[in-house]
């Protein structure tokens, strides 16, 4: 339910493009293809996917379920994953690599949008406003973003800080 359940809440930073780039870097790293075509998520497609399916592993499972499972030389002798166990192995490996790429991208490019940190500081200083940051990203990726962009001092003043796995559902 968060953030809509909190009055006057605002989504102040959207990292979706950084996630998309990290997924594509992961797919490219492993040379994944679907029907002979390199696996790449476009900006337009990822916008729909990110607003439909919460969490990285569910996104990939949804995409592959709708579009065929990819093949890559590093997995299952270049064959399509056979069964749920192999599908989970592939998705786990991709998510781990995606998180590595995401942390690298964040460290080199992530910044707050103009005015966001000022807005956060104003809200933090108003005792009538609850301030929080929530993300469906993995905890490791999320922590890299918030520490790089928001900073530990500001984070220590937040009412709520949640990452993927901290809640019951990722998106509603």
């Amino acid at each position: 339910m968060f953030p809509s359940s909190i009055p006057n809440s605002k989504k102040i930073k959207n990292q979706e493009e950084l996630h998309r780039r990290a997924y594509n870097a992961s797919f490219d790293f492993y040379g994944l293809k679907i029907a002979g075509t390199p696996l790449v998520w476009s900006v337009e497609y990822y916008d729909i996917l990110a607003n439909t399916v919460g969490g990285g592993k569910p996104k990939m499972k949804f995409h592959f379920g709708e579009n065929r499972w990819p093949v890559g030389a590093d997995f299952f002798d270049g064959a399509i994953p056979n069964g749920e166990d192999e599908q989970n192995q592939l998705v786990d490996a991709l998510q781990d690599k995606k998180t590595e790429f995401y942390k690298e991208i964040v460290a080199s490019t992530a910044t707050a949008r103009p005015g966001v940190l000022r807005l956060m500081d104003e809200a933090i200083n108003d005792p009538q406003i609850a301030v929080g940051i929530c993300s469906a990203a993995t905890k490791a990726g999320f922590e890299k973003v918030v520490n790089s962009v928001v900073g530990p001092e500001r984070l220590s003043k937040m009412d709520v800080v949640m990452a993927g796995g901290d809640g019951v559902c990722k998106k509603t």
Side-chain angles (χ1 to χ4, degrees):
M1 302 295 175
F2 187 85
S4 60
S5 62
I6 296 177
N8 300 318
S9 66
K10 301 290 180 194
K11 188 174 185 181
I12 58 175
K13 182 61 183 160
N14 188 332
Q15 296 289 325
E16 298 302 341
E17 175 57 12
L18 303 183
H19 286 285
R20 185 189 72 81
R21 289 173 44 199
Y23 280 113
N24 284 340
S26 178
F27 301 153
D28 184 60
F29 178 85
Y30 287 116
L32 296 186
K33 296 181 179 183
I34 295 178
T37 302
L39 175 56
V40 177
W41 286 348
S42 70
V43 171
E44 299 79 13
Y45 176 74
Y46 190 75
D47 183 53
I48 294 166
L49 186 62
N51 287 297
T52 304
V53 182
K57 292 179 183 182
K59 274 182 187 61
M60 287 186 279
K61 288 179 178 182
F62 174 83
H63 175 79
F64 301 149
E66 294 290 312
N67 297 284
R68 295 178 56 187
W69 283 82
V71 296
D74 292 336
F75 299 100
F76 319 115
D77 297 322
I80 292 174
N82 183 17
E84 190 174 345
D85 286 345
E86 287 188 0
Q87 291 171 350
N88 287 336
Q89 288 175 29
L90 174 62
V91 167
D92 288 346
L94 290 171
Q95 185 66 34
D96 290 346
K97 186 56 71 177
K98 179 261 181 184
T99 299
E100 288 178 32
F101 283 121
Y102 182 73
K103 288 159 85 174
E104 290 174 18
I105 292 167
V106 165
S108 64
T109 66
T111 60
R113 292 181 179 156
V116 167
L117 297 179
R118 179 190 51 76
L119 177 64
M120 289 176 85
D121 291 339
E122 289 175 9
I124 287 168
N125 290 323
D126 185 335
Q128 296 181 343
I129 300 175
V131 181
I133 299 175
C134 297
S135 175
T138 62
K139 196 160 194 96
F142 172 77
E143 287 173 346
K144 185 71 173 181
V145 170
V146 295
N147 285 321
S148 296
V149 176
V150 177
E153 181 182 345
R154 206 175 268 112
L155 283 173
S156 70
K157 299 174 184 174
M158 298 280 167
D159 297 294
V160 176
V161 178
M162 294 178 65
D166 289 339
V168 176
C169 62
K170 299 198 185 263
K171 292 193 181 178
T172 56

